[in-house]
Amino acid sequence: MSRRNAMVLLGSGVLGACAAPPRIPYGPDDGVSTRLLGSDYRIRTDARTEDYPEDYAPRFRDGGRSHYLALSGGGADGAYGAGVLAGWTAAGTRPTFSVISGVSTGALIAPLAFLGPDQDGALRDLYTSGVAEGIGGRPSLLAALTRGALFDPQPLRQLVAFFVTPDLLTAIAREHQRGRRLFVLSTDMDSQVGIIWNMGAIAASGDPRALTLFEDVLMASAAIPGAFPPIRIAGQTAAGRRFEELHGDGALISHVFTLPDAAMVSFRGRRNAGAALTDIHMLMNLRLELEFDLVEEKPSAVGGRSLSTLLKYQARRQVNATYDFARGAGIDFQVTSIETPFPEDVDSFAFDTAYMRVLYAEGFDRASNGSVWSRVPPALTPKTEIASAG
């Protein structure tokens, strides 16, 4: 994240009020009992382990193993993840995943990754063909005053609508019926909790509104605060009263989603995860290694550096926590993250094609030659301890 983009996030809270029409008021009890498309296709991250529906557990194994791929946020840096997936395919070691989760840019990757190597070309084009160039466009103070965000969300909406088609939902529904699971994380802005959406179940629902909800969830998860406006998602109470929730970037809750906190801190959660999963792969579209940069003593530079440091350490803590959990549950753990330094002259909100091609190439090259995965987090990784994901 560039200093300028970090300051966009810092300053977004003081940029005026959104001129969108008011939402129908609702209370916390209404939100808890929300049923979308006539059923519950999501669960809160603060739910108890025993409250998770059976439909959330994977029932698919590839050669006797159950692989979980967790895709992090990272904006334009998602090009790295697209390259890793294609390089993994080229190496001939990419498994069929039992579970895939996505947050922010990882949410955009997740549906295509879920459908397997046949979608590698679509993922490559998404980040390197130029179709995503300028998604953020030019920041507009007028837009901030009228929409509550600096950028017009329509280019991102059009990009999502381009690949989220009825055929894609049919294919995802088919894989869901095989026992594979696809999750996306968004943030319920009203309740300040994460929402885990069961995207395969939405796709398999048969409801005519499923395509719109699927798009809305991806848009919400990728709605970087201050840059893109949050997304209204229609809900209905158990009594039938309609209202709209406000959902934003899943990375506000977690840069990457593997397992809910309740599962990671309880014996039952560890036991259940150990029974369901054999491997966790954390694909971090981020730089986890510490990076030296001589910071100028001015508010924008100090603020930007402070926020980027905060976000980096949050991501590292999430990786470390998952690593510790996996060891305790007897689950194989592997992680990868970006090594290419971030160029100061690149605006990551602009989705610069040349920059994304560099990251795609890094991911592809490292995955195809078997050097992309590490079995321990970066802070613990000797340079010699690199393992391929077989």
Side-chain angles (χ1 to χ4, degrees), residues 330-368:
I331 299 171
D332 186 60
F333 172 91
Q334 300 188 58
V335 63
T336 184
S337 60
I338 298 171
E339 294 181 350
T340 300
F342 185 86
E344 278 297 311
D345 60 342
V346 168
D347 180 351
S348 61
F349 284 155
F351 282 71
D352 180 82
T353 301
Y355 169 67
M356 290 191 290
R357 286 173 178 169
V358 169
L359 289 186
Y360 180 90
E362 181 198 336
F364 183 91
D365 291 345
R366 289 174 58 198
S368 61

Side-chain angles (χ1 to χ4, degrees), residues 2 14 112 141 145 295:
S2 68
V14 295
L112 297 174
L141 182 58
L145 293 172
V295 180

